Amino acid sequence: MTTKLKEVDVVIVGLGWTGGILAKELTEAGLKVVALERGAERSSANDYSLPNIRDELRYVVRHDLMQNTARDTITVRNNPSQDALPMRRLGSFLPGEVVGGSGVHWSGHTWRWTDMEFKIRSNYEERYGKNFIPDDMTIQDWGISYDELEPYYEKFEYTAAVSGKAGNIKGQIQPGGNPFEAPRAREYALPPLTPILASQMFSDAARNAGYHPFPRPSANASQAYTNPDGSKFGACQYCGYCQRFGCEANAKGSPHMTVIPIAMRNPNFELRTHSWVTKVLKDSDGKRVTGVSYTNVLNGEEFEQPANIVLLCAYAINNVHLMLLSGIGAPYDPVAQKGVIGKNYCYQTGAAARLFFEGKYFNPFMSAGGSNATIDDFNINWAFDRAPHNFVGAYNVAGGFNTALPIGYRPVPSGTPQWGSEWKKATAKWYQTAMVINASGSVMANRYNCYDLDPTYRNAFGQPLMRMTFDYKANEHKMGTHAAHVINDIAKSMNPTKLTPAVARTNPWTVVPYQSTHNTGGTIMGTNPRDSALNKYLQSWDAHNLFVVGANVFPHNASYNPTGPVGALAYWTADAIKNRYVKNPGPLVPA
Amino acid sequence: MRSTLRAAATLGLLLLLVAAARADGDAARGEARFQDCAACHKLEAGSNNVGPSLHGLFERKAGALADFRYSPAMKRSGISWTPETLDKFITDPQAMVPANRMPYAGMANASDRADLIAYLQKSSR
């Protein structure tokens, strides 16, 4: 039996960064907001404090803050000719399931994506001609510009205590920052983190090679900080437990210690945890949505929550899944190339070299989430000519490490036995001496990389699992090969005792080893309803009171971590709802 | 004997210097220094966060609040909080109470500490 609840102004599905930002902004604007979160409520004081948080088995191996694949997962295949199989254990990516979402266990890397992404098709066609972009590469412009997003990037960076060094303030190149970045109005919220030996050695080598290293901007507070909303941050202690953990020092910008508590103090807000949304409900005319159905996973009770506005703010994969389960928008068909929901799923690629220096002590147990130095010479540097290398996209290269855990981090040179006394000797010998240089690369949209509903496997609620079809294409292989060369040249110039060189990823993609929690696309934003699911305000073209927020709106994936534009777009959408939609409900962009 | 006396004299001089710096503590400046603490500690009675409430700090021993889960190290420390013991503690918390759980590396600057302690003396009451 389903209990129908009283209508509210706004229902938010998923309470991480995007849900938290929208909950805070919309309750402050006077709207009655209910947030439904699958996971439990946890706090810094009770859950992320010492000594319990430093539990590698619980958080890294057993994924305590992540989605439970016994209840719902995805099926995976590399191409449409294969049968997809369920991912029964998390591997390649780690969606969060807790109040705060993946914003609790992220590392904090916060980038500004620029017009190089937002105008990608126009840029490449203008410079290289239409034939440069392969026929099956379904990249498209996003319908938004960097200038529109700039103030919202800043708002997110100041909220999340992003520490970094500006490279371009209002067109003036700043020494020590990233000279390729788009102009920003002012400096970062905080100065950059203290570099570690590995990032310093990488910076020196990169500079000697003629590149432009800079400290990676990260939401790891380099000093104690109070953000514009009054949320208090401690200083990062370089404890080494960042990625996959909540922060013990309240130093990592996370929604559970910034926007969410502010919303919680507002009488307009209500949070319901352990609430699993199974469907978005449509009006009989199909032009609006009327609310959501959800199940309390603790006791199985089912509810209908009517709402004037529905905001999907779950993890990127789950937002797309809900759209497909609810039948909103036309599902994408990769063969006919029709429909939009599920289109342009993208991931990231990369390559990494490991360098061993006898006699060096890197102290890998001490680092922040963003203790890397980075170069963008092959990334947002448009002067880097892609034509001779024949690929679309970009990669950044970084040196250092972020989270090198005492049990799992066992760097040994290639050729070392994988167990036994030889391995033990090697891990003792090399533990202190290793560092990594790695590239993170973009993945361009491809017509065959997509999501749909699996025809065979179902979740705990009897609903079809999401099916992911993905593989790296020739474009990504070529870019990876280029990146591996650049990494290996820098690595060799540093004269390591031993080097495990970088190799491009050219084997079929597999869901097993961890790669990155940077899944994008599926309900993409764009300029028209034929090519995209959402307009530039992340409003559904099909139902004007439905907004879908998160990395699922990106039409392709860049080399950068996605959280910068995810946070900025959440603030951007909040403004569009507060300032325009509420006053005059309807499509914010004519179809 | 003489060396003990000299050591005592040196120690006395040191304490005097520390005390002198402390007497100079400026509570207004100390409020800004408290930003280092504020992400985890509150000044209101009964409001424990990641760290224990600092209300009434100078009237109690370390590890004394019944409703906060202290580390065994802090409970065993036997410290009575005074401006002097707090100064020593926040200089390098792990040096004074090894294995305590406060994730804070310490405040190196003596006059910053003096300002902070002046602020706490005023605002923890």
Side-chain angles (χ1 to χ4, degrees), chain A residues 459-582:
Chain A
N459 67 14
F461 302 89
Q463 298 180 298
L465 295 187
M466 178 85 124
R467 177 165 65 179
M468 174 187 284
T469 305
F470 178 74
D471 207 351
Y472 298 121
K473 306 297 179 191
N475 184 68
E476 283 66 48
H477 297 168
K478 283 183 269 185
M479 192 183 63
T481 305
H482 192 269
H485 278 298
V486 168
I487 292 170
N488 293 336
D489 284 350
I490 297 173
K492 282 177 204 151
S493 78
M494 295 166 73
N495 293 317
T497 318
K498 285 186 184 277
L499 171 66
T500 308
V503 181
R505 285 184 203 163
T506 51
N507 291 330
W509 174 73
T510 157
V511 78
V512 178
Y514 181 75
Q515 285 150 76
S516 86
T517 306
H518 304 158
N519 313 84
T520 65
T523 59
I524 62 177
M525 61 193 291
T527 54
N528 68 75
R530 292 176 307 284
D531 297 332
S532 58
L534 314 169
N535 66 27
K536 68 192 279 192
Y537 300 104
L538 316 191
Q539 179 185 37
S540 165
W541 291 113
D542 293 282
H544 64 74
N545 62 339
L546 172 66
F547 295 78
V548 189
V549 193
N552 43 278
V553 311
F554 299 177
H556 71 273
N557 208 342
S559 81
Y560 280 154
N561 309 53
T563 313
V566 165
L569 283 167
Y571 278 115
W572 159 261
T573 296
D575 266 8
I577 294 173
K578 281 191 309 194
N579 301 335
R580 292 185 53 202
Y581 184 80
V582 171

Side-chain angles (χ1 to χ4, degrees), chain A residues 406-466:
Chain A
I407 301 169
Y409 179 73
R410 295 288 124 191
V412 286
S414 54
T416 304
Q418 295 194 326
W419 58 280
S421 58
E422 286 308 308
W423 176 80
K424 284 184 190 166
K425 266 183 235 157
T427 188
K429 176 175 179 185
W430 297 107
Y431 171 75
Q432 270 285 8
T433 70
M435 64 168 278
V436 167
I437 301 177
N438 71 296
S440 166
S442 61
V443 165
M444 293 301 110
N446 183 280
R447 65 180 286 192
Y448 294 112
N449 288 338
C450 60
Y451 297 112
D452 61 358
L453 293 177
D454 190 273
T456 309
Y457 296 96
R458 288 171 182 268
N459 67 14
F461 302 89
Q463 298 180 298
L465 295 187
M466 178 85 124

